[in-house]
Amino acid sequence: MQTELHPNVRKFLAQRLGNTINEQVATQTEKVINPSDGSILAEVAMGRAREIDIAISAAERAFPAWASLSPENRARLLHRFAEELEKHSAELAQLESLDVGKPVGAAEGFDIPFGIECFRYFADLSRQVDYSIPLHVKAFEARTWRVPYGVCGFIFPWNFPFTLLCWGIAPALAAGNTVVVKPSEITPLTTLYAAQIAAEAGLPPGVFNVVVGKGNEAGVALSSSTRIKRMSFTGSPEVGRAVGEQSGRNLIPCKLELGGKGAAVVFDDVDVDTVATQLAGAITLNTGQVCCTATRWMIQDAIYDRFVNKVTETLKGTKVGPGLNRETQMGPLVSEAQRKRVLGYLERGRREGAGTILNGGTVSPDGAGNGFYVSPALLEGRDDNVCCREEIFGPCAYLLRFRDEEAAIATINGIPYGLANSVWSSDLSRANRVAERLAAGNNWINAHNLFAYGLPYGGINLSGMGGGVNSPETFYDYLRSQTIARPLS
């Protein structure tokens, strides 16, 4: 059953969408494509260096007043923003589904409500923390005083545009900073809609600024600006290196949330059907376009064949279709370029000797038109295969056999990523022992893709640096410390 578009969504998409910087609208535009059928969703003004400069100026002007508000008053405004977002959650879910291609039920059930909750979490946290911390130093009255940085820059990717927007800007705003956001030009719709709601909710002008533009134009202008006081990038390690280098030249602290090649190590004492079903869901979630998801499956020898049979059966039964179709379990990839990337990896993997368990490829579901679909794929073979070692970002998994936990740990730690893994076993002592030894920012037990506010989430090695998200540590990332002291004699 196809979801009927909300009247507000129709009205929003019918506009020529611009950037939220004092009503300045760039003359160059790009079409936003619906990945479910290849149709045009909207036309969006594309900003460049000039628009980034205007946005930074607006954020600089807004910063003193925003930072001088008490935590209680800022929190009150952020709660009002969250309430308004919640009132418009149906529209946001439809826009997210249209823009990314994900099932609308997933956007309604997780992306939008979990993102909105982020503003409430950090608004409440901002009223509880100590901004003045006594220092016990002999012969001095001294303290650390925590203050916001100023204008913070954010570059977000296309896979979870609304959720990642909230994870990024909520702690920065709650701490008293102002923000300039460059969303992906492929999926800018919920970010622009959220900025519109922010103005309606009473966030002061210049506090939350959005410039849609290409990475090599608007993105570079933002990350290389000397007027940004803190930078955050979420995306690929390749671009992350460039953003980190630009920030480093300007001596600006930079947070990088990058890619992953998550592993799931499955011991032979598990309920095979349950684990196979959950891991099948991990690679079909958001059509596998999830940096932390499990795409390397290490299955203990004794259960390997049973596991393969069950997961293959589950994936073959997955309903692939347009995001707004209520029966859809997995939507399209976000773009034709991403589809070519995924299929290219699968072909390279086979050329390098990977065996095929489930042959993923292009599909054409009913009502899909020219959508960017690919069916789930499973490969198996050696651990030096390209599909085992590199991030594909599609509904694909690579299976490996193992006999003992030492071999599994060595294999999992043998690649340069370090974002998220999971350990599956009924022996919790063993599960915890293995989880402690896996090199990653997040190691989960008997589940994958676990998120909760207060549960830190971040990466190491090729998967990121500079702090994580969703916890008190994230809030402190957006406060700088200064020492205040006087001698007692």
Side-chain angles (χ1 to χ4, degrees), residues 33-39 41 96-104 158-159 187 283-289 319-325 328-336 338-339 342 361-365 367-375 393-395:
I33 304 300
N34 183 346
S36 288
D37 61 15
S39 65
L41 282 172
E96 195 82 337
S97 175
L98 285 168
D99 219 3
V100 184
K102 66 181 65 189
V104 67
W158 44 257
N159 57 333
T187 58
I283 65 165
T284 57
L285 173 68
N286 209 40
T287 320
Q289 300 165 128
K319 173 70 172 177
V320 179
L324 288 185
N325 190 326
T328 292
Q329 296 172 295
M330 188 182 87
L333 293 164
V334 75
S335 66
E336 177 61 19
Q338 186 62 18
R339 178 166 65 174
V342 171
T362 56
V363 291
S364 298
N370 296 313
F372 313 126
Y373 295 90
V374 109
S375 58
F393 228 53

Side-chain angles (χ1 to χ4, degrees), residues 47-229:
R48 297 181 176 179
R50 173 181 174 274
E51 285 74 27
I52 290 292
D53 188 62
I54 294 170
I56 293 174
S57 295
E60 287 174 335
R61 289 192 298 272
F63 172 67
W66 182 250
S68 67
L69 288 176
S70 68
E72 290 77 13
N73 285 334
R74 275 200 305 272
R76 191 175 298 113
L77 283 168
L78 291 176
H79 269 285
R80 187 185 306 164
F81 183 27
E83 289 167 7
E84 291 301 313
L85 288 170
E86 197 164 62
K87 289 178 185 176
H88 294 281
S89 59
E91 298 104 285
L92 286 164
Q94 288 187 6
L95 287 169
E96 195 82 337
S97 175
L98 285 168
D99 219 3
V100 184
K102 66 181 65 189
V104 67
E108 292 169 341
F110 174 77
D111 299 57
I112 305 307
F114 195 64
I116 293 170
E117 188 60 28
C118 190
F119 286 101
R120 296 188 172 113
Y121 172 77
F122 283 108
D124 291 341
L125 184 64
S126 71
R127 295 186 289 198
Q128 300 165 6
V129 303
D130 291 325
Y131 295 87
S132 183
I133 301 95
L135 297 172
H136 302 289
V137 181
K138 185 178 181 180
F140 284 91
E141 179 186 79
R143 60 194 171 100
T144 294
W145 178 238
R146 290 173 170 155
V147 295
Y149 280 87
V151 180
C152 297
F154 293 88
I155 299 175
F156 294 115
W158 44 257
N159 57 333
F160 288 91
F162 182 78
T163 305
L164 295 177
L165 168 75
C166 300
W167 287 5
I169 72 170
L173 293 175
N177 302 279
T178 55
V179 303
V180 176
V181 172
K182 193 210 85 67
S184 169
E185 69 276 17
I186 300 174
T187 58
L189 298 181
T190 46
T191 300
L192 290 171
Y193 202 71
Q196 179 179 297
I197 294 170
E200 296 169 359
L203 252 62
V207 169
F208 173 19
N209 307 275
V210 179
V211 177
V212 183
K214 295 183 177 180
N216 62 358
E217 294 175 341
V220 169
L222 182 59
S223 63
S224 61
S225 173
T226 57
R227 296 160 64 196
I228 292 292
K229 301 304 179 184

Side-chain angles (χ1 to χ4, degrees), residues 195-328:
Q196 179 179 297
I197 294 170
E200 296 169 359
L203 252 62
V207 169
F208 173 19
N209 307 275
V210 179
V211 177
V212 183
K214 295 183 177 180
N216 62 358
E217 294 175 341
V220 169
L222 182 59
S223 63
S224 61
S225 173
T226 57
R227 296 160 64 196
I228 292 292
K229 301 304 179 184
R230 209 183 197 299
M231 188 66 212
S232 175
F233 170 81
T234 306
S236 71
E238 294 77 17
V239 180
R241 284 193 182 98
V243 172
E245 182 179 350
Q246 290 156 359
S247 297
R249 287 199 195 104
N250 296 329
L251 300 179
I252 291 170
C254 183
K255 179 195 289 281
L256 300 174
E257 300 288 337
L258 308 178
K261 190 68 178 177
V265 53
V266 182
F267 287 96
D268 60 11
D269 59 352
V270 300
D271 183 303
V272 172
D273 286 0
T274 298
V275 178
T277 300
Q278 289 193 49
L279 288 179
I283 65 165
T284 57
L285 173 68
N286 209 40
T287 320
Q289 300 165 128
V290 184
C291 57
C292 60
T293 206
T295 57
R296 289 183 296 157
W297 297 349
M298 303 208 61
I299 314 300
Q300 202 159 20
D301 265 338
I303 60 169
Y304 186 88
D305 292 336
R306 280 193 293 141
F307 180 90
V308 166
N309 290 337
K310 178 60 181 179
V311 78
T312 302
E313 174 191 341
T314 302
L315 290 172
K316 283 182 176 179
T318 299
K319 173 70 172 177
V320 179
L324 288 185
N325 190 326
R326 288 285 172 182
E327 297 175 355
T328 292

